[in-house]
Amino acid sequence: MQTTSAKSSIIVSSPVLSEAGELYGKHGLSRKTVVLFDDNTRKLFRDRVIGTLEQQGFRLLEITVPARESSKSFKAAYRLYGAMIEAGIDRSWNLLAVGGGVVGDLGGFIAASYYRGIPVVQCPTTLLAMTDSAIGGKVAINHPLGKNLIGFFHMPEMVLIDPSFLSTLPEREVFGGMAEVIKYGFIADLNFLRWLERHFDRITSLEEPFISEAVRRSALIKADVVEKDFRETTGLRATLNFGHTFAHGLEKLAGFRGIRHGEAVTIGMACALALSRRLGYLDAADMQSGLDLIARFRLPAGLVNKRFLAHRADIVFENMFSDKKKLDSKLRFVLLKKPGEAFLLEENVEDQAVLEAIEEARKFFSTRTKR
């Protein structure tokens, strides 16, 4: 049972795992832990993670999955269930997910379902996971017909965030994670958005204390929203999906390959800004200000061309209907009234308005790729 709030269970420090024994004790967790890596995080962080935990008296079982989106599957989950059963893992154990979104989602899914639920601790290693996917308790695996369609609400007992892990990230992953960071400014905190505009280059260069502050404020904004609307009953939590209805359509169109989630969200937010303006909620100056910030992202020109500009707006629109943000076969959009204030639009949106918003975003990115 979750005994702490989402916000109080988020710890941002470096080296965060040096405090693991004390933190586990405070949260009523045993020092019997299944540690889930993917191939990349095991290579990069295994010695640091395992060595630190063993020094603090942890009993550990290591399991590893391939570092790819296809690991979020029933096949991978069943293999890991078998390894845990054979090792005698019972309800007195917990699971520590060390990695990005794939590991966090898969680890949370396994923890939610193994023995009808064991505690999960998230230790995100990417900027996107630190600020979004590791927080909030939505864990899932994919289906061939859509991403994240099968899953649970299973809150992590803790989210242990060590910004020093980010030093291993390639630039593309940094900018992918930055999409979720600026999303929080767009939807919930104008002061944070303006701070991000001032310090964008320092944050994306992973300069301290700017990167840690960006991570901390992003994580706390999400945790606050999650606490107020854990199961998406009021529409508040849905605002976290700003740009995502468009983004998941792009991911589906790409077969969930070749475009990072954060890259799809970056493009999706441009579409959502355009739709917010087209429907009369956002004024032109605020839309342009948002697009100016998105223009600072270093998206590969080839990716934008292949995964977005090469597809007609109606094809992008068609693929958006596989998204979970639809209800009764109708798409749901998160829009902005102004920077820092988002809302879930309850009314139906005319198809033509969505198509025109996609076209406007296509013109914006087409101009950028030609520079």
Side-chain angles (χ1 to χ4, degrees), residues 182-245:
I182 71 163
K183 176 195 74 177
Y184 295 116
F186 278 137
I187 68 169
D189 191 333
L190 177 60
N191 289 333
F192 184 41
L193 183 64
R194 297 298 179 239
W195 183 84
L196 291 170
E197 290 171 343
R198 291 195 303 273
H199 302 298
F200 186 89
D201 293 337
R202 288 178 162 181
I203 297 165
T204 54
S205 296
L206 306 182
E207 184 179 333
E208 292 289 5
F210 302 98
I211 183 60
S212 288
E213 181 66 5
V215 167
R216 185 188 67 82
R217 291 174 70 171
S218 298
L220 291 179
I221 290 172
K222 178 163 187 179
D224 182 63
V225 171
V226 167
E227 282 192 355
K228 293 174 180 175
D229 186 21
F230 180 48
R231 292 186 178 272
E232 293 190 6
T233 57
T234 69
L236 178 61
R237 182 164 183 164
T239 63
L240 295 170
N241 295 318
F242 179 64
H244 284 56
T245 302

Side-chain angles (χ1 to χ4, degrees), residues 76-240:
Y78 267 76
R79 180 177 70 81
L80 298 183
Y81 292 143
M84 291 166 67
I85 293 167
E86 289 176 353
I89 304 302
D90 58 28
R91 289 181 60 84
S92 67
W93 286 64
N94 52 74
L95 186 146
L96 175 68
V98 183
V102 169
V103 169
D105 275 357
L106 178 62
F109 181 90
I110 290 168
S113 51
Y114 187 80
Y115 271 74
R116 299 184 180 89
I118 62 173
V120 65
V121 175
Q122 297 282 356
C123 184
T125 59
T126 67
L127 183 55
L128 190 147
M130 288 179 184
T131 57
D132 182 54
S133 62
I135 301 160
K138 290 174 70 173
V139 296
I141 58 175
N142 299 333
H143 187 278
L145 297 179
K147 185 176 179 179
N148 295 333
L149 295 181
I150 304 165
F152 306 94
F153 289 96
H154 189 59
M155 282 292 289
E157 296 294 325
M158 293 185 291
V159 183
L160 305 179
I161 301 176
D162 187 339
S164 72
F165 283 163
L166 298 176
S167 64
T168 64
L169 286 186
E171 180 182 81
R172 186 177 177 185
E173 295 292 344
V174 172
F175 279 95
M178 194 65 180
E180 297 290 351
V181 174
I182 71 163
K183 176 195 74 177
Y184 295 116
F186 278 137
I187 68 169
D189 191 333
L190 177 60
N191 289 333
F192 184 41
L193 183 64
R194 297 298 179 239
W195 183 84
L196 291 170
E197 290 171 343
R198 291 195 303 273
H199 302 298
F200 186 89
D201 293 337
R202 288 178 162 181
I203 297 165
T204 54
S205 296
L206 306 182
E207 184 179 333
E208 292 289 5
F210 302 98
I211 183 60
S212 288
E213 181 66 5
V215 167
R216 185 188 67 82
R217 291 174 70 171
S218 298
L220 291 179
I221 290 172
K222 178 163 187 179
D224 182 63
V225 171
V226 167
E227 282 192 355
K228 293 174 180 175
D229 186 21
F230 180 48
R231 292 186 178 272
E232 293 190 6
T233 57
T234 69
L236 178 61
R237 182 164 183 164
T239 63
L240 295 170

Side-chain angles (χ1 to χ4, degrees), residues 20 31 39 48 129 295 339 366:
R31 298 193 187 191
D39 291 332
R48 188 193 318 185
S366 178

